[in-house]
Amino acid sequence: MTTHMGQTAKTEPVSAGQPSALADADGEPQLISGGHLVAKALKAEGVDVIFTLCGGHIIDIYDGCVDEGIDVIDVRHEQVAAHAADGYARVTGKPGCAVVTAGPGTTDAVTGVANALRAESPMLLIGGQGALSQHKMGSLQDLPHVDMMAPITKFSASVPATERAADIVSMAFRECYHGAPGPSFLEIPRDVLDAKVPLEKARIPRAGAYRASTRSAGDPEAIERLADLVVHAEKPCVLLGSQVWTCRATDAAIEFVRTLNVPAFMNGSGRGTLAPKDPHHLQLARRYAFQNADLIIIVGTPFDFRMGYGKRLSTDATVVQIDLDYRTVGKNRDVDLGIVGDAGLVLSSVTQATSGRVDNGAVSRKAWLEELRAVENQAYEKRLPRQHSDANPIDPYRLVHEINEFLTPDSLYIGDGGDIVTFSGQVVQPKSPGHWMDPGPLGTLGVGVPFVMAAKYARPEKEVVCLFGDGAFSLTGWDFETLVRFNLPFVGIIGNNSSMNQIRYGQIQKYGEGRGRVGNTLGDVPYSEFAKMLGGYGEEVRDPADIRPALERARESGKPSLINVWVDPEVYAPGTMNQTMYK
């Protein structure tokens, strides 16, 4: 049984009256290796799979995982392993784990760890290290991993002795959940990992007994103040960010917006909190709302580039920020009220605090909802002709429209790319909570295949649909073979314009058409053939009328698939043309 944030239920410890737990049949002390201690600690945390690329420094962990019933998914690049661990954490709420060898194995995983940091995703990267007996002697693949990882993790340490292996793994997990979640790193020297010690000398933390709940309901006085602000607001709105999903706060968020009649916008992993047809769900009217609201509540989203560093919010509005991390509240923009706490507990508390009011203001906000809905509908109607465009080459809006229509309530959608995924962010709406995955604020390309791997492993009953840019797919695409090898089917779509178009547009604007193709142009690759070569399903699409039938055939194939859709390279997403990511 698992509880919130992946902590497993408590189990009874082995008592001192059971010598068989600590000694063999001859009464000799039972020995256990470092790798097996690591596996026991992973099991105690509820980890049921590791993502890895093999190396001589780390193989004893594999042996331990086999004994503990932990699956081992081996990939073709360590970046994929780290991204998959990140993705697994997002999908399950439990920490992900990647295991890589020393030196280049660990450095290859740096990007995945950095992405998890910015995305607030709890994962543990375990890296190998040369033997302690060879410390500072120039052993194979020796690097100062702990120092290198410290700036991009919440905890970075080396395991100094075999008997401490499980203990320090538990420390790493504990730090993953301090404040906003994030990654931890451990290096384990080869001789520490391989050595065996008496079981009685090793500390093996008991499941559910080595870290506290991290759920905070916030300052009660601040809760009451926010309740007053909402009740008296005429034009409130709320932005439900990624922490709404991190905290599994969907029900609390829905109750809040419906009870108090507050229009809601969603971003990041918060997408899908409200169904697309929900009367409180809005998407295209966000700029208007932020400029005209009298109360703006930001939940689990920093004032980073996605929010214009807070400058997109009206200076006349009362601004409230709710976040797991105190360092995020009020960063880049002053707020009128900041609350540090779990999104679900805070929103539930606010809803409860308004329950005794004679008038909670919900009825009077009907006109505000209608005003925003009119803005939303106008923006949608303006774009609709492009979503139905029969242009050839294919308008990217038509592609993402077809994908949105294709998704079911059980379709988990992943976006991996630049310009093409910017299009999808405007149109694609997941039908259920936790069914949207994107890189997060680091903007890392190449997350698609590893996120598919993690999502389909963790939720085999779900359909996984991933939209790639052709440039993004190229970064980690060889692990398509891993998806075939482990029988992890998904519907993959490549929006192929043979370019890194988001960068290309900026270069054209800055240097002119004559230099618009420097360093950003890719080959015309038929990725459907790549999929077939590796044992999957593939099709080429050049006519917009063929998009939906090709998607259906990919779904029916039961294989990892790539539908290679050739889109117009001269059409750019509005976000790309505004260069908002660089402002």
Side-chain angles (χ1 to χ4, degrees), residues 37-171:
L37 285 169
V38 168
K40 285 183 177 296
L42 296 178
K43 190 72 171 182
E45 185 62 32
V47 172
D48 54 15
V49 62
I50 63 170
F51 301 94
T52 186
L53 199 159
C54 64
H57 294 93
I58 56 174
I59 56 176
D60 197 60
I61 295 177
Y62 297 173
D63 195 54
C65 286
V66 171
D67 283 353
E68 296 297 330
I70 297 172
D71 288 343
V72 177
I73 293 185
D74 50 309
V75 301
R76 290 176 171 268
H77 196 287
E78 290 90 353
Q79 181 180 348
V80 170
H83 284 319
D86 172 0
Y88 177 88
R90 301 190 200 197
V91 171
T92 65
K94 300 188 295 184
C97 182
V99 180
V100 299
T101 197
T106 298
T107 59
D108 275 353
V110 165
T111 297
V113 174
N115 193 71
L117 179 73
R118 287 293 303 273
E120 300 180 346
S121 188
M123 62 163 284
L124 172 63
L125 176 70
I126 298 175
Q129 179 57 289
L132 280 179
S133 61
Q134 298 163 349
H135 184 57
K136 297 295 185 182
M137 293 175 64
S139 63
L140 176 66
Q141 299 180 327
D142 179 22
L143 281 176
H145 307 120
V146 173
D147 293 339
M148 293 164 57
M149 287 291 185
I152 58 169
T153 58
K154 297 171 70 67
F155 180 82
S156 182
S158 183
V159 176
T162 302
E163 52 264 47
R164 295 290 310 283
D167 183 29
I168 295 183
V169 169
S170 72
M171 289 184 183

Side-chain angles (χ1 to χ4, degrees), residues 443-460:
T444 306
L445 301 186
V447 300
V449 168
F451 278 10
V452 167
M453 188 183 303
K456 193 62 181 177
Y457 172 87
R459 296 287 182 263

Side-chain angles (χ1 to χ4, degrees), residues 237-256:
C237 68
V238 62
L239 176 67
L240 303 172
S242 290
Q243 287 183 10
V244 173
W245 177 243
T246 301
C247 298
R248 299 305 188 261
T250 299
D251 292 343
I254 292 173
E255 181 187 23
F256 173 82

Side-chain angles (χ1 to χ4, degrees), residues 309-567:
Y309 305 102
K311 296 176 183 177
R312 294 176 188 160
L313 308 185
S314 170
T315 55
D316 296 326
T318 298
V319 176
V320 178
Q321 191 173 17
I322 301 167
D323 204 275
L324 287 166
D325 192 339
Y326 76 93
R327 295 171 299 180
T328 297
V329 176
K331 182 179 179 180
N332 297 332
R333 188 199 193 280
D334 292 348
V335 295
D336 296 282
L337 177 63
I339 301 177
V340 176
D342 177 282
L345 292 181
V346 171
L347 291 175
S348 290
S349 297
V350 172
T351 304
Q352 180 63 32
T354 65
S355 62
R357 313 295 174 103
V358 175
D359 178 10
N360 67 6
V363 174
S364 65
R365 287 190 275 275
K366 181 180 178 182
W368 170 234
L369 263 295
E370 292 174 348
E371 180 181 343
L372 290 176
R373 184 60 61 189
V375 174
E376 182 90 4
N377 290 341
Q378 183 180 16
Y380 177 77
E381 292 295 330
K382 181 180 180 180
R383 200 182 59 206
L384 199 57
R386 294 207 37 203
Q387 292 183 210
H388 291 285
S389 171
D390 290 325
N392 198 330
I394 296 170
D395 189 319
Y397 270 123
R398 175 66 184 271
L399 172 58
V400 296
H401 170 79
E402 294 288 350
I403 293 171
N404 188 51
E405 295 296 307
F406 175 75
L407 297 180
T408 74
D410 273 338
S411 299
L412 196 157
Y413 174 79
I414 299 166
D416 179 18
D419 191 60
I420 193 68
V421 172
T422 303
F423 277 108
S424 81
Q426 293 185 289
V427 175
V428 175
Q429 296 184 355
K431 310 299 190 290
S432 305
H435 284 58
W436 173 281
M437 297 176 74
D438 60 29
L442 193 61
T444 306
L445 301 186
V447 300
V449 168
F451 278 10
V452 167
M453 188 183 303
K456 193 62 181 177
Y457 172 87
R459 296 287 182 263
E461 75 283 3
K462 297 288 184 183
E463 175 180 74
V464 178
V465 178
C466 185
L467 173 63
F468 304 89
D470 52 320
F473 179 80
S474 302
L475 289 169
T476 55
W478 272 109
D479 267 287
F480 186 93
E481 185 275 334
T482 306
L483 300 175
V484 172
R485 182 163 27 103
F486 282 91
N487 190 27
L488 299 172
F490 79 108
V491 178
I493 308 103
I494 294 184
N496 196 338
N497 52 27
S498 302
S499 305
M500 296 287 201
N501 242 22
Q502 204 161 63
I503 307 306
R504 178 177 163 235
Y505 180 85
Q507 288 180 233
I508 290 172
Q509 299 307 303
K510 194 170 184 178
Y511 305 110
E513 287 280 357
R515 298 190 177 184
R517 283 287 184 187
V518 177
N520 58 42
T521 302
L522 307 172
D524 295 336
V525 179
Y527 287 99
S528 63
E529 297 302 313
F530 181 82
K532 294 175 186 176
M533 177 186 75
L534 295 177
Y537 180 82
E539 283 194 46
E540 297 289 307
V541 173
R542 295 185 181 274
D543 187 321
D546 294 334
I547 297 173
R548 181 60 182 264
L551 295 179
E552 295 288 355
R553 287 189 288 269
R555 171 182 279 163
E556 293 165 4
S557 75
K559 297 180 178 181
S561 65
L562 289 179
I563 305 303
N564 191 45
V565 182
W566 296 91
V567 297

Side-chain angles (χ1 to χ4, degrees), residues 11-15 18 206:
T11 57
E12 292 301 315
V14 177
S15 71
Q18 293 177 302
R206 184 159 51 93

